[in-house]
Amino acid sequence: MSIHLQGLQELTHLIFISMKDILKSNKALKTVLREIAGVAGYMWERGWAERNAGNISVHVSDLLGHEIAEKVSLPVTELPMEYPKLAGCVFFVSGKGKRMRDLARKPLENGLFIKLNDSANGYSILSSETDSGNFKPTSELPAHLAIHQMIAERGSSEKVVMHSHVTELVSITQAREFCKQDVLNNLLWSMHPETMIFVPKGVGFVPYFLPGTLDIATETIKALRDHDVAIWEKHGVFAIGENVPDTFDVIDILAKSARIFFMCRSAQIIPDGLNEEQLNGLKTLASNFQTLPQ
Ligand code: 13P
Ligand code: ZN
């Protein structure tokens, strides 16, 4: 049963928040939006963002919660399941069907702020800059929220969830031999030393499922429990991180490894790759690196 409250659009429109006004005084939020715009542009430039490909969500309750605490009487759209750890939380999410290249120029017009209700089974759109009639959060919202819920359950500090159709990584999953998680990780780690250092937990492999479904969301959180990134067979990647640039960097590093592999192969070179001893050395370096003060 839908819990969308019909007929209140006109009345409630009056209390949608003007993010443009909020951003005038909220420098931290402004920075996050600038970072989202920057990364959306990089995705487009790298050819990972055809049409509306890819989406992003950022947990911004810490940056925005107090400014919208009293704005509760907005229409609520039902979610496909409950996310109890996210009750009352606020997220910036890219819009369904919106282009990354447009998000890069106008983040407020191509993304929206949503707040989950106290029962965590529905959300309200907060921002007024969007065309509220047709504008919805990304179709991958079930996966994004499931991942934010997993992060909240384990009490870790990631705020960002990023999905992209990374050509190099999608290409690798076209080969059955690389659809095995250990084989895939060994290939990616062995192409460049920095991959082990910056993606030490490697990638979790998610076999093909219909996009936008609860099934793919469930498989993605399983993959992200022990890994830095989930790779969706023949579709793209999901990465999590503490901030927007770092999350993008992890995806970029994996793409670089895959690109090295394909460049070698297209030059008829069978890449040697780093050997086991070299990879073990990097693993030790990576664990020391993680414990170094920033
Ligand atoms: P959205 O436009 O709904 O975000 O979908 C893009 C996408 O990549 C689906 O997997
Ligand atoms: Zn996608």
Side-chain angles (χ1 to χ4, degrees):
M1 187 191 70
S2 171
I3 52 172
H4 191 95
L5 305 179
Q6 302 289 338
L8 286 178
Q9 286 306 37
E10 230 176 78
L11 179 68
T12 54
H13 189 77
L14 296 171
I15 53 169
F16 280 120
I17 296 166
S18 168
M19 287 298 160
K20 277 185 184 139
D21 285 347
I22 286 185
L23 286 172
K24 280 181 197 150
S25 57
N26 192 328
K27 284 206 174 103
L29 194 60
K30 209 169 170 174
T31 301
V32 170
L33 284 183
R34 198 179 297 130
E35 289 172 346
I36 290 170
V39 159
Y42 300 155
M43 287 180 183
W44 165 246
E45 284 161 16
R46 278 163 173 69
W48 301 344
E50 72 286 353
R51 199 174 182 273
N52 60 311
N55 29 71
I56 183 164
S57 63
V58 184
H59 192 163
V60 294
S61 301
D62 291 350
L63 305 180
L64 193 59
H66 58 285
E67 293 182 70
I68 49 142
E70 73 284 10
K71 319 273 186 190
V72 287
S73 45
L74 292 166
V76 176
T77 301
E78 190 179 16
L79 286 164
M81 59 175 274
E82 280 182 28
Y83 303 90
K85 289 278 182 186
L86 304 181
C89 291
V90 182
F91 298 88
F92 177 83
V93 292
S94 54
K96 179 178 179 176
K98 296 294 174 183
R99 298 179 179 91
M100 280 291 156
R101 61 184 190 269
D102 292 339
L103 188 69
R105 289 182 303 114
K106 293 184 172 174
L108 278 184
E109 284 80 354
N110 293 279
L112 59 168
F113 288 88
I114 61 166
K115 184 179 198 287
L116 268 66
N117 59 5
D118 290 343
S119 314
N121 62 356
Y123 68 85
S124 298
I125 297 176
L126 300 173
S127 30
S128 62
E129 281 76 6
T130 52
D131 160 17
S132 48
N134 290 320
F135 201 3
K136 294 193 175 76
T138 170
S139 57
E140 301 293 1
L141 191 66
H144 282 261
L145 292 180
I147 296 167
H148 285 294
Q149 162 90 6
M150 178 198 77
I151 292 167
E153 274 168 1
R154 72 185 182 195
S156 55
S157 49
E158 295 93 346
K159 300 271 183 236
V160 179
V161 177
M162 205 178 276
H163 168 56
S164 187
H165 295 182
V166 179
T167 319
E168 298 87 337
L169 296 168
V170 175
S171 303
I172 281 204
T173 69
Q174 301 292 336
R176 196 157 307 158
E177 60 182 301
F178 296 123
C179 290
K180 295 186 192 91
Q181 200 166 274
D182 51 342
V183 178
L184 183 58
N185 277 306
N186 274 329
L187 172 80
L188 294 170
W189 280 326
S190 74
M191 287 298 107
H192 196 281
E194 306 253 313
T195 309
M196 177 64 86
I197 294 176
F198 292 109
V199 199
K201 288 191 275 170
V203 301
F205 179 75
V206 177
Y208 182 80
F209 282 93
L210 201 63
T213 57
L214 279 179
D215 286 341
I216 199 160
T218 307
E219 292 303 312
T220 306
I221 53 172
K222 275 191 216 157
L224 285 172
R225 247 173 224 141
D226 305 316
H227 300 95
D228 301 300
V229 173
I231 297 198
W232 285 5
E233 181 182 349
K234 301 186 181 88
H235 183 147
V237 302
F238 257 87
I240 57 177
E242 295 191 7
N243 60 57
V244 175
D246 285 355
T247 312
F248 176 80
D249 285 344
V250 170
I251 299 177
D252 203 25
I253 284 168
L254 291 169
K256 172 84 170 215
S257 274
R259 209 153 53 238
I260 293 169
F261 172 72
F262 284 120
M263 282 190 88
C264 290
R265 290 298 286 261
S266 54
Q268 316 298 328
I269 295 167
I270 306 290
D272 271 349
L274 298 161
N275 64 31
E276 209 179 320
E277 194 188 333
Q278 291 165 332
L279 287 176
N280 282 337
L282 287 164
K283 223 177 258 176
T284 312
L285 192 65
S287 54
N288 293 338
F289 190 86
Q290 302 295 312
T291 54
L292 285 177
Q294 296 290 306

